[in-house]
Amino acid sequence: MNFFHKAASSLDVPEIIDWKKSGKKIVGYTCSYLPPELFYAAGVLPVRLRGVETDGLDIGDAYYGPFVCSYPKRILQLAGKGRYNFLDGAVITPGCDAMRRLDECWRKAGDDHPGILPGFFHFFDAPHKDEAHGFAWFVEEIRSLMEKIREYFGVEITEERLLEAIQLYNRGRRLLSDLEALRCNPAPPVSGADAFAAVLAGSVTPRDLYTRALEKWIAQLDSEKTDYRNRKRLMLVGSVNDDIELVRLMENDSGALVVAENLCFGVRAAGGLVAETGDPVEALARRYLGESICPRMFGKYSERLARLKETIQQHRVDGVVMQNIRFCDLHGAENALFERDLEKIGVPCLRIEREYGPLVETGRIKMRIGAFIERIQTR
């Protein structure tokens, strides 16, 4: 687990450092809509950008202002402090309006503070519908990004190399599917914190190393060595979260176990196979746009609710914890709808508003989760 936890909780990931020392390129990206296979096929390491290890928000607040989601602000803070200087490029996707503004704010900060803007800086758009016109648009966005990669890095992304990257990522997705099946068991062989760390690590480490580590770890899991059988089973949903400590807080003192999540840093983004036949670009577009259940997608609430209900049933969930970052309108509004519709069918729900980043409100969150567990136990 050291490999997974180190990669999931720090910017100083040994595998990223080794990749950079070898002279190879690294590109950061902000959103699960971008297919990282594109960069891996080009011999470039794709690293999902996170706001971990920030020590303030003076830079983020200066360019954003106070009443904005703290996730993109912390990414900008790290960039301004030079923590992302190892990047050769960055790709910004408008998952929401605050993230769209990261493109503008980072460029402006780069004008004011030379050296913090990577040489390759690309805006990768994504439609809000997956209908025919949206799909065609997304395919063109992928092809445009491929051309930009070719021009800047001087590499050709052939169909053969793209298919190899797809197959490698699919191997990891199948392993994560095996992990999810184990978490459905009455006695899961893994804690929610460890499972989440294992998923997170795949977004920042070289995919071949990650897949081998994941395969070895899953093969060693043994439910007989755990004491998770009698814990209340929770599901974590809502705003972007890459903080293992939040999951650990939900488990350590409450007698609970996080057996499932629906987060864009989790299995929702990492799972789901890409077709290995036909045009690989269209296959990527179909997987990354057509299978998304993010609330930014228009007209898909019933589909997202159905997916949530299915996961609750498969993982034997006793209660759902819905968290959203302050000023996150997308998840704040959708969590209210989820709570209404899940409570209606007898699924207990807890809604928590918080800041992205270090858990500065540990006592409050712990108290509310403890009360929520008591509510479940008295049902």
Side-chain angles (χ1 to χ4, degrees):
M1 286 305 301
N2 287 338
F3 171 80
F4 298 134
H5 277 278
K6 177 67 175 176
S9 58
S10 172
L11 293 181
D12 300 317
V13 180
E15 291 73 24
I16 295 179
I17 295 172
D18 292 343
W19 184 281
K20 189 70 175 181
K21 285 181 177 179
S22 70
K24 292 184 282 189
K25 305 299 183 182
I26 303 173
V27 168
Y29 65 102
T30 62
C31 187
S32 58
Y33 278 85
L34 182 133
E37 290 95 332
L38 298 177
F39 286 101
Y40 217 75
V44 177
L45 178 63
V47 172
R48 183 86 183 265
L49 296 179
R50 298 175 292 151
V52 297
E53 299 184 324
T54 48
D55 56 2
L57 277 177
D58 54 310
I59 297 174
D61 282 337
Y63 288 90
Y64 266 107
F67 305 114
V68 179
C69 167
S70 47
Y71 172 52
K73 288 204 292 186
R74 288 188 181 275
I75 292 177
L76 184 61
Q77 180 76 20
L78 291 171
K81 293 291 186 179
R83 296 297 307 278
Y84 276 129
N85 283 358
F86 65 87
L87 295 177
D88 299 286
V91 181
I92 310 299
T93 300
C96 63
D97 193 55
M99 190 57 74
R100 177 195 61 79
R101 287 185 57 202
L102 180 61
D103 178 81
E104 303 163 359
C105 293
W106 199 339
R107 290 179 191 273
K108 173 59 177 170
D111 293 338
D112 298 338
H113 308 281
I116 68 169
L117 187 73
F120 179 84
F121 201 77
H122 183 78
F123 186 81
F124 180 76
D125 210 349
H128 291 271
K129 291 185 177 182
D130 62 357
E131 297 172 2
H133 63 286
F135 178 77
W137 172 11
F138 197 58
V139 168
E140 287 307 308
E141 284 291 325
I142 294 175
R143 295 194 188 280
S144 175
L145 177 56
M146 290 172 63
E147 180 61 20
K148 295 292 185 182
I149 294 171
R150 184 194 67 78
E151 291 176 359
Y152 186 84
F153 293 104
V155 293
E156 200 71 44
I157 304 178
T158 64
E159 283 198 9
E160 181 181 6
R161 293 173 69 176
L162 191 54
L163 178 59
E164 289 175 357
I166 289 172
Q167 290 172 336
L168 176 61
Y169 273 76
N170 276 347
R171 279 182 55 201
R173 292 181 176 111
R174 292 187 180 96
L175 289 168
L176 290 177
S177 179
D178 293 341
L179 176 61
E180 287 304 288
L182 292 173
R183 297 176 78 190
C184 292
N185 292 341
V190 59
S191 70
D194 284 350
F196 193 46
V199 179
L200 273 172
S203 66
V204 296
T205 53
R207 197 67 182 189
D208 52 344
L209 297 179
Y210 170 72
T211 303
R212 290 199 297 270
L214 187 62
E215 187 172 29
K216 181 179 179 181
W217 176 64
I218 291 176
Q220 295 172 343
L221 292 178
D222 185 354
S223 60
E224 297 303 318
K225 298 177 182 178
T226 65
D227 60 350
Y228 302 135
R229 181 178 298 274
N230 297 318
R231 295 194 178 199
K232 294 303 176 183
R233 302 166 69 94
L234 300 180
M235 181 177 184
L236 179 64
V237 307
S239 291
V240 58
N241 175 63
D242 59 352
D243 191 351
I244 301 170
E245 292 306 315
L246 178 60
V247 181
R248 190 173 283 128
L249 178 66
M250 293 171 60
E251 294 182 316
N252 279 357
D253 301 319
S254 65
L257 179 71
V258 178
V259 294
E261 40 77 14
N262 183 27
L263 305 165
C264 78
F265 265 101
V267 175
R268 185 182 88 193
L273 298 178
V274 177
E276 298 179 10
T277 57
D279 183 346
V281 172
E282 291 191 2
L284 287 169
R286 195 167 291 110
R287 157 64 182 82
Y288 282 91
L289 183 68
E291 293 190 14
S292 174
I293 55 171
C294 175
R296 76 181 295 279
M297 297 303 288
F298 182 77
K300 293 285 185 176
Y301 174 73
S302 59
E303 185 178 313
R304 292 191 289 270
L305 178 62
R307 187 82 67 93
L308 206 57
K309 289 179 178 178
E310 181 182 10
T311 303
I312 289 169
Q313 182 177 20
Q314 290 176 342
H315 289 253
R316 302 177 174 87
V317 171
D318 295 310
V320 179
V321 176
M322 301 170 179
Q323 54 81 38
N324 69 271
I325 301 171
R326 288 188 179 92
F327 310 115
C328 179
D329 295 331
L330 285 174
H331 286 284
E334 181 131 299
N335 284 352
L337 296 177
F338 280 152
E339 181 183 35
R340 177 199 66 187
D341 293 332
L342 293 178
E343 289 277 3
K344 194 180 297 182
I345 61 172
V347 179
C349 298
L350 171 65
R351 290 174 59 198
I352 296 175
E353 186 178 66
R354 64 182 189 88
E355 290 287 359
Y356 170 86
L359 290 181
V360 295
E361 303 166 289
T362 301
R364 178 180 70 88
I365 294 175
K366 183 185 294 187
M367 180 178 67
R368 295 198 63 196
I369 290 174
F372 183 54
I373 296 299
E374 287 183 16
R375 177 193 168 195
I376 294 174
Q377 290 172 336
T378 57
R379 281 168 57 85

PDB file of all heavy atoms in Angstrom, residues 44-61:
ATOM      1  N   VAL A  44       4.234  10.502 -23.262  1.00  0.00           N
ATOM      2  CA  VAL A  44       4.163  11.581 -22.281  1.00  0.00           C
ATOM      3  C   VAL A  44       3.359  11.088 -21.074  1.00  0.00           C
ATOM      4  O   VAL A  44       2.305  10.468 -21.250  1.00  0.00           O
ATOM      5  CB  VAL A  44       3.505  12.837 -22.892  1.00  0.00           C
ATOM      6  CG1 VAL A  44       3.364  13.937 -21.844  1.00  0.00           C
ATOM      7  CG2 VAL A  44       4.291  13.327 -24.100  1.00  0.00           C
ATOM      8  N   LEU A  45       3.833  11.369 -19.872  1.00  0.00           N
ATOM      9  CA  LEU A  45       3.127  10.919 -18.672  1.00  0.00           C
ATOM     10  C   LEU A  45       1.989  11.875 -18.346  1.00  0.00           C
ATOM     11  O   LEU A  45       2.223  13.062 -18.079  1.00  0.00           O
ATOM     12  CB  LEU A  45       4.091  10.843 -17.490  1.00  0.00           C
ATOM     13  CG  LEU A  45       3.455  10.436 -16.148  1.00  0.00           C
ATOM     14  CD1 LEU A  45       2.888   9.029 -16.228  1.00  0.00           C
ATOM     15  CD2 LEU A  45       4.480  10.541 -15.015  1.00  0.00           C
ATOM     16  N   PRO A  46       0.728  11.407 -18.345  1.00  0.00           N
ATOM     17  CA  PRO A  46      -0.397  12.261 -17.922  1.00  0.00           C
ATOM     18  C   PRO A  46      -0.577  12.194 -16.413  1.00  0.00           C
ATOM     19  O   PRO A  46      -0.668  11.119 -15.826  1.00  0.00           O
ATOM     20  CB  PRO A  46      -1.585  11.622 -18.651  1.00  0.00           C
ATOM     21  CG  PRO A  46      -1.209  10.176 -18.803  1.00  0.00           C
ATOM     22  CD  PRO A  46       0.287  10.095 -18.833  1.00  0.00           C
ATOM     23  N   VAL A  47      -0.631  13.357 -15.766  1.00  0.00           N
ATOM     24  CA  VAL A  47      -0.766  13.439 -14.312  1.00  0.00           C
ATOM     25  C   VAL A  47      -1.980  14.289 -13.992  1.00  0.00           C
ATOM     26  O   VAL A  47      -2.067  15.447 -14.402  1.00  0.00           O
ATOM     27  CB  VAL A  47       0.499  14.066 -13.681  1.00  0.00           C
ATOM     28  CG1 VAL A  47       0.280  14.327 -12.193  1.00  0.00           C
ATOM     29  CG2 VAL A  47       1.704  13.161 -13.895  1.00  0.00           C
ATOM     30  N   ARG A  48      -2.915  13.724 -13.260  1.00  0.00           N
ATOM     31  CA  ARG A  48      -4.115  14.484 -12.869  1.00  0.00           C
ATOM     32  C   ARG A  48      -3.719  15.542 -11.844  1.00  0.00           C
ATOM     33  O   ARG A  48      -3.097  15.233 -10.813  1.00  0.00           O
ATOM     34  CB  ARG A  48      -5.152  13.517 -12.279  1.00  0.00           C
ATOM     35  CG  ARG A  48      -6.492  14.172 -11.896  1.00  0.00           C
ATOM     36  CD  ARG A  48      -7.438  14.251 -13.046  1.00  0.00           C
ATOM     37  NE  ARG A  48      -8.666  14.950 -12.650  1.00  0.00           N
ATOM     38  CZ  ARG A  48      -9.780  14.352 -12.233  1.00  0.00           C
ATOM     39  NH1 ARG A  48      -9.832  13.030 -12.153  1.00  0.00           N
ATOM     40  NH2 ARG A  48     -10.858  15.066 -11.932  1.00  0.00           N
ATOM     41  N   LEU A  49      -4.076  16.790 -12.113  1.00  0.00           N
ATOM     42  CA  LEU A  49      -3.717  17.891 -11.222  1.00  0.00           C
ATOM     43  C   LEU A  49      -4.601  17.889  -9.978  1.00  0.00           C
ATOM     44  O   LEU A  49      -5.813  17.741 -10.063  1.00  0.00           O
ATOM     45  CB  LEU A  49      -3.852  19.226 -11.955  1.00  0.00           C
ATOM     46  CG  LEU A  49      -2.917  19.426 -13.142  1.00  0.00           C
ATOM     47  CD1 LEU A  49      -3.168  20.784 -13.781  1.00  0.00           C
ATOM     48  CD2 LEU A  49      -1.455  19.308 -12.714  1.00  0.00           C
ATOM     49  N   ARG A  50      -3.960  18.094  -8.821  1.00  0.00           N
ATOM     50  CA  ARG A  50      -4.657  18.124  -7.544  1.00  0.00           C
ATOM     51  C   ARG A  50      -4.136  19.281  -6.715  1.00  0.00           C
ATOM     52  O   ARG A  50      -3.102  19.860  -7.019  1.00  0.00           O
ATOM     53  CB  ARG A  50      -4.452  16.808  -6.792  1.00  0.00           C
ATOM     54  CG  ARG A  50      -5.023  15.593  -7.536  1.00  0.00           C
ATOM     55  CD  ARG A  50      -4.685  14.301  -6.821  1.00  0.00           C
ATOM     56  NE  ARG A  50      -3.270  14.027  -6.878  1.00  0.00           N
ATOM     57  CZ  ARG A  50      -2.611  13.342  -5.936  1.00  0.00           C
ATOM     58  NH1 ARG A  50      -3.248  12.886  -4.875  1.00  0.00           N
ATOM     59  NH2 ARG A  50      -1.318  13.125  -6.057  1.00  0.00           N
ATOM     60  N   GLY A  51      -4.841  19.608  -5.662  1.00  0.00           N
ATOM     61  CA  GLY A  51      -4.443  20.724  -4.806  1.00  0.00           C
ATOM     62  C   GLY A  51      -3.850  20.280  -3.494  1.00  0.00           C
ATOM     63  O   GLY A  51      -3.899  21.029  -2.517  1.00  0.00           O
ATOM     64  N   VAL A  52      -3.299  19.083  -3.439  1.00  0.00           N
ATOM     65  CA  VAL A  52      -2.757  18.559  -2.179  1.00  0.00           C
ATOM     66  C   VAL A  52      -1.526  19.353  -1.759  1.00  0.00           C
ATOM     67  O   VAL A  52      -0.812  19.920  -2.590  1.00  0.00           O
ATOM     68  CB  VAL A  52      -2.399  17.062  -2.302  1.00  0.00           C
ATOM     69  CG1 VAL A  52      -3.639  16.245  -2.578  1.00  0.00           C
ATOM     70  CG2 VAL A  52      -1.358  16.837  -3.404  1.00  0.00           C
ATOM     71  N   GLU A  53      -1.291  19.400  -0.460  1.00  0.00           N
ATOM     72  CA  GLU A  53      -0.101  20.002   0.145  1.00  0.00           C
ATOM     73  C   GLU A  53      -0.028  21.516  -0.038  1.00  0.00           C
ATOM     74  O   GLU A  53       1.052  22.096  -0.062  1.00  0.00           O
ATOM     75  CB  GLU A  53       1.180  19.341  -0.399  1.00  0.00           C
ATOM     76  CG  GLU A  53       1.266  17.852  -0.092  1.00  0.00           C
ATOM     77  CD  GLU A  53       2.572  17.228  -0.554  1.00  0.00           C
ATOM     78  OE1 GLU A  53       3.073  17.642  -1.622  1.00  0.00           O
ATOM     79  OE2 GLU A  53       3.085  16.361   0.153  1.00  0.00           O
ATOM     80  N   THR A  54      -1.177  22.177  -0.193  1.00  0.00           N
ATOM     81  CA  THR A  54      -1.158  23.644  -0.221  1.00  0.00           C
ATOM     82  C   THR A  54      -1.036  24.185   1.203  1.00  0.00           C
ATOM     83  O   THR A  54      -1.535  23.580   2.148  1.00  0.00           O
ATOM     84  CB  THR A  54      -2.447  24.196  -0.861  1.00  0.00           C
ATOM     85  OG1 THR A  54      -3.579  23.545  -0.268  1.00  0.00           O
ATOM     86  CG2 THR A  54      -2.470  23.965  -2.349  1.00  0.00           C
ATOM     87  N   ASP A  55      -0.383  25.322   1.328  1.00  0.00           N
ATOM     88  CA  ASP A  55      -0.183  25.914   2.653  1.00  0.00           C
ATOM     89  C   ASP A  55      -0.813  27.299   2.765  1.00  0.00           C
ATOM     90  O   ASP A  55      -0.472  28.076   3.653  1.00  0.00           O
ATOM     91  CB  ASP A  55       1.309  25.999   2.982  1.00  0.00           C
ATOM     92  CG  ASP A  55       2.086  26.780   1.922  1.00  0.00           C
ATOM     93  OD1 ASP A  55       1.453  27.279   0.958  1.00  0.00           O
ATOM     94  OD2 ASP A  55       3.320  26.883   2.050  1.00  0.00           O
ATOM     95  N   GLY A  56      -1.738  27.623   1.881  1.00  0.00           N
ATOM     96  CA  GLY A  56      -2.408  28.922   1.918  1.00  0.00           C
ATOM     97  C   GLY A  56      -3.135  29.148   0.605  1.00  0.00           C
ATOM     98  O   GLY A  56      -3.094  28.310  -0.298  1.00  0.00           O
ATOM     99  N   LEU A  57      -3.815  30.281   0.502  1.00  0.00           N
ATOM    100  CA  LEU A  57      -4.552  30.582  -0.722  1.00  0.00           C
ATOM    101  C   LEU A  57      -4.353  32.035  -1.165  1.00  0.00           C
ATOM    102  O   LEU A  57      -5.221  32.612  -1.809  1.00  0.00           O
ATOM    103  CB  LEU A  57      -6.054  30.309  -0.519  1.00  0.00           C
ATOM    104  CG  LEU A  57      -6.529  28.868  -0.694  1.00  0.00           C
ATOM    105  CD1 LEU A  57      -8.011  28.755  -0.396  1.00  0.00           C
ATOM    106  CD2 LEU A  57      -6.243  28.349  -2.090  1.00  0.00           C
ATOM    107  N   ASP A  58      -3.211  32.623  -0.827  1.00  0.00           N
ATOM    108  CA  ASP A  58      -2.997  34.019  -1.181  1.00  0.00           C
ATOM    109  C   ASP A  58      -2.988  34.239  -2.693  1.00  0.00           C
ATOM    110  O   ASP A  58      -3.560  35.204  -3.203  1.00  0.00           O
ATOM    111  CB  ASP A  58      -1.704  34.537  -0.550  1.00  0.00           C
ATOM    112  CG  ASP A  58      -0.500  33.674  -0.896  1.00  0.00           C
ATOM    113  OD1 ASP A  58      -0.584  32.451  -0.729  1.00  0.00           O
ATOM    114  OD2 ASP A  58       0.526  34.236  -1.333  1.00  0.00           O
ATOM    115  N   ILE A  59      -2.381  33.316  -3.440  1.00  0.00           N
ATOM    116  CA  ILE A  59      -2.342  33.446  -4.897  1.00  0.00           C
ATOM    117  C   ILE A  59      -3.692  33.095  -5.499  1.00  0.00           C
ATOM    118  O   ILE A  59      -4.218  33.808  -6.360  1.00  0.00           O
ATOM    119  CB  ILE A  59      -1.235  32.552  -5.487  1.00  0.00           C
ATOM    120  CG1 ILE A  59       0.139  33.012  -4.976  1.00  0.00           C
ATOM    121  CG2 ILE A  59      -1.271  32.578  -7.017  1.00  0.00           C
ATOM    122  CD1 ILE A  59       1.277  32.109  -5.379  1.00  0.00           C
ATOM    123  N   GLY A  60      -4.284  32.001  -5.041  1.00  0.00           N
ATOM    124  CA  GLY A  60      -5.599  31.597  -5.548  1.00  0.00           C
ATOM    125  C   GLY A  60      -6.651  32.659  -5.317  1.00  0.00           C
ATOM    126  O   GLY A  60      -7.451  32.977  -6.210  1.00  0.00           O
ATOM    127  N   ASP A  61      -6.652  33.245  -4.129  1.00  0.00           N
ATOM    128  CA  ASP A  61      -7.633  34.288  -3.816  1.00  0.00           C
ATOM    129  C   ASP A  61      -7.384  35.564  -4.626  1.00  0.00           C
ATOM    130  O   ASP A  61      -8.329  36.267  -4.995  1.00  0.00           O
ATOM    131  CB  ASP A  61      -7.600  34.616  -2.322  1.00  0.00           C
ATOM    132  CG  ASP A  61      -8.330  33.569  -1.481  1.00  0.00           C
ATOM    133  OD1 ASP A  61      -9.200  32.879  -2.037  1.00  0.00           O
ATOM    134  OD2 ASP A  61      -8.024  33.463  -0.281  1.00  0.00           O
TER     135      ASP A  61
END
